[in-house]
Amino acid sequence: MKISVIIPIHWMKNWQYFLTRCLSSIEQQTFTDYEIIVTKSGLMAENTNAGIKKATGEIIKILYLDDYLAHQDSLKNIAENFQDGWLATGCVHDYGDGKLKDPHLPKIEGITGSIALNTIGSPSVIAFENKDPLLFDENMGWLLDLDYYMRLVKRYRGLTILNSYDVVMGCGDHQVTNIMSEEDKRKEENYLKEKWKTPKFQ
């Protein structure tokens, strides 16, 4: 089962280092039936969608530029456990100090209901089938992952969760959550509320 690894890039601070780290983590994989699709097309949602549209594998794996695979069996774990349309793995966080911290396992609780929460994590933790794949909402940048997960849950009525830490999140001042203005964040929250008619959002 071939995996298409999509790496949407933009010229963030230290992008050369991040890209090299990301690609190196893929090259070290024991699972080798994959393709790498690197895209540079507009903002994050549009850029990611460009990669999705080019994918030829049965499974599409998102991997943001500043993130990377945690160990050599990360893709193998995804391929061997993939079922029911989409999958999320656990992750740890790299703050640039040489230590991996804050392990997180995804949960589907919170994605739907009266309170909307991103209990899954960054899109780098997910993989989904390349069968009429959903595209990211190009009106969004900060909350595009939450909106995407809500639509995936609606389509597949569930989520396969791997209780293993297969992805490392690169954290720092380059992240969207740290560079987007509070005003733009509120606008996006309001857009998501209106789109989903969510009574409460956190």
Side-chain angles (χ1 to χ4, degrees):
M1 188 176 291
K2 183 178 178 181
I3 298 178
S4 297
V5 183
I6 296 173
I7 308 173
I9 68 170
H10 58 283
W11 309 137
M12 65 171 62
K13 180 181 176 182
N14 296 327
W15 70 268
Q16 299 98 327
Y17 166 75
F18 290 139
L19 181 58
T20 299
R21 182 177 69 178
C22 182
L23 291 173
S24 177
S25 75
I26 300 171
E27 188 178 70
Q28 296 170 23
Q29 294 300 298
T30 56
F31 180 90
T32 58
D33 189 9
Y34 63 80
E35 65 177 357
I36 300 172
I37 300 172
V38 179
T39 57
K40 176 69 173 72
S41 177
L43 299 177
M44 184 56 72
E46 179 187 352
N47 202 3
T48 307
N49 288 342
I52 292 173
K53 292 173 184 178
K54 293 178 182 295
T56 64
E58 290 83 5
I59 299 173
I60 295 174
K61 171 81 188 91
I62 304 294
L63 193 60
Y64 282 170
L65 171 65
D66 50 335
D67 303 330
Y68 57 100
L69 300 174
H71 53 81
Q72 64 181 9
D73 289 327
S74 294
L75 291 184
K76 180 172 180 278
N77 285 349
I78 292 169
E80 290 182 347
N81 293 281
F82 190 86
Q83 58 182 338
D84 300 329
W86 70 305
L87 170 151
T89 75
C91 66
V92 292
H93 297 79
D94 184 340
Y95 295 93
D97 58 2
K99 299 178 181 178
L100 301 181
K101 305 173 184 176
D102 302 331
H104 170 77
L105 291 175
K107 297 183 294 182
I108 197 169
E109 295 81 10
I111 294 297
T112 59
S114 60
I115 299 178
L117 297 165
N118 184 354
T119 53
I120 293 177
S122 160
S124 288
V125 305
I126 68 167
F128 48 92
E129 66 178 354
N130 191 7
K131 184 178 180 181
D132 186 26
L134 296 176
L135 298 177
F136 286 83
D137 186 332
E138 295 183 5
N139 294 305
M140 307 184 76
W142 180 47
L143 298 175
L144 55 77
D145 46 2
L146 179 54
D147 170 74
Y148 197 72
Y149 302 154
M150 292 166 76
R151 288 189 285 130
L152 284 170
V153 169
K154 186 176 181 180
R155 171 181 281 195
Y156 294 111
R157 303 296 180 187
L159 168 67
T160 298
I161 294 176
L162 283 187
N163 291 319
S164 57
Y165 301 104
D166 295 307
V167 177
V168 180
M169 301 294 150
C171 302
D173 57 9
H174 61 277
Q175 292 178 286
V176 171
T177 191
N178 293 323
I179 62 177
M180 182 179 277
S181 71
E182 291 302 313
E183 180 182 359
D184 286 340
K185 288 179 181 178
R186 298 294 83 77
K187 287 180 181 177
E188 204 160 297
E189 285 182 351
N190 290 333
Y191 174 82
L192 184 64
K193 286 179 182 178
E194 181 61 26
K195 180 176 181 178
W196 286 92
K197 303 299 183 184
T198 307
K200 200 178 248 188
F201 176 83
Q202 293 184 354

